Amino acid sequence: MTHFQAFTKSFARACCRNYHVQTILPHPHQVFINHRGPDTRRNISGLLYDNLLRLGHRPFLDYRNMKAGEKLQEIINTAIRDCKVGVAVFSPRYCESFYCLHELALLMEYKKRVVPIFYNVKPSRLRVGDIYNGTGRRVSEKDLERFSRALEEAKDIVGLRFDSSRGYWSEFIRSASDAIIEQIDKNDDERI
């Protein structure tokens, strides 16, 4: 429970003991961070999540927002459907992950604003090959086409590039956060 939620419940109990009070909070996630965990969880994705949170935004990052016992696909699909902006953190082994490509395809199918980040990989090196789903079965041709279409669409969006051997982390995280916040603001402006 967030500090704000705890405060509103405490306030409601103290002031309105005889009334049922329902607080309406904004959706918990503005930004969905799509990434391949083993490649980026401890660096770029985690740092970006922390910085967006520090700036007062509500990012979703699977391992930071999910709890034991929750249904993985249900939570992730809902977070993607309801987010304002998607961030696709492409890494060298990103296209080997069924889950990464499925999430990317959902972001594109829901027509979300997407900020691509190419982390230690050139866009031209990203290709969908033979991949296997979570049960060890080869992904169907239909899914491969869906994933390829989403990947090509994402590569066609102006993105950010970061080479960890040459770049400055703090500078990049700041500029990536600024780009994401700009897309959140554009999304909000369109809804007015």
Side-chain angles (χ1 to χ4, degrees):
M1 180 179 299
T2 67
H3 178 67
F4 179 74
Q5 288 171 317
F7 172 76
T8 56
K9 284 186 179 186
S10 171
F11 178 79
R13 276 194 299 272
C15 296
C16 310
R17 292 194 193 280
N18 297 328
Y19 300 97
H20 174 64
V21 177
Q22 179 179 3
T23 49
I24 299 173
L25 298 172
H27 190 273
H29 308 292
Q30 295 170 304
V31 179
F32 183 89
I33 302 174
N34 164 252
H35 72 293
R36 185 173 182 277
D39 297 347
T40 68
R41 148 182 326 133
R42 291 190 192 113
N43 49 52
I44 196 164
S45 296
L47 291 169
L48 192 56
Y49 174 90
D50 291 341
N51 197 53
L52 289 168
L53 199 60
R54 185 184 61 75
L55 294 170
H57 295 279
R58 297 177 311 275
F60 180 92
L61 187 59
D62 54 6
Y63 77 100
R64 296 267 180 106
N65 294 104
M66 296 186 65
K67 296 171 183 65
E70 291 183 326
K71 294 184 178 180
L72 181 71
Q73 286 299 96
E74 184 179 306
I75 299 295
I76 287 177
N77 292 354
T78 300
I80 292 170
R81 184 192 67 223
D82 295 344
C83 75
K84 294 179 179 183
V85 174
V87 177
V89 181
F90 295 108
S91 56
R93 296 186 62 199
Y94 176 96
C95 290
E96 295 174 17
S97 169
F98 168 83
Y99 296 107
C100 289
L101 293 167
H102 171 71
E103 292 168 8
L104 179 65
L106 282 178
L107 286 166
M108 295 306 179
E109 290 162 1
Y110 283 129
K111 306 237 183 279
K112 297 297 180 179
R113 290 181 172 278
V114 173
V115 176
I117 295 175
F118 300 98
Y119 171 70
N120 291 338
V121 67
K122 292 179 181 178
S124 61
R125 307 280 301 177
L126 294 168
R127 295 197 192 319
V128 175
D130 280 347
I131 58 172
Y132 297 85
N133 64 19
T135 63
R137 292 189 179 141
R138 189 172 178 275
V139 173
S140 70
E141 287 300 318
K142 182 179 176 183
D143 277 338
L144 288 175
E145 288 173 23
R146 179 176 167 246
F147 297 162
S148 293
R149 196 170 37 253
L151 181 63
E152 290 308 311
E153 190 176 340
K155 287 173 17 179
D156 199 35
I157 299 169
V158 175
L160 304 167
R161 293 183 186 192
F162 185 69
D163 179 343
S164 63
S165 67
R166 296 183 184 151
Y168 294 97
W169 282 100
S170 60
E171 189 177 296
F172 180 78
I173 294 299
R174 187 173 38 254
S175 65
S177 296
D178 290 346
I180 293 162
I181 292 166
E182 183 179 328
Q183 294 303 313
I184 292 170
D185 292 343
K186 283 182 181 180
N187 183 283
D188 290 343
D189 290 346
E190 286 177 359
R191 293 181 183 221
I192 294 176

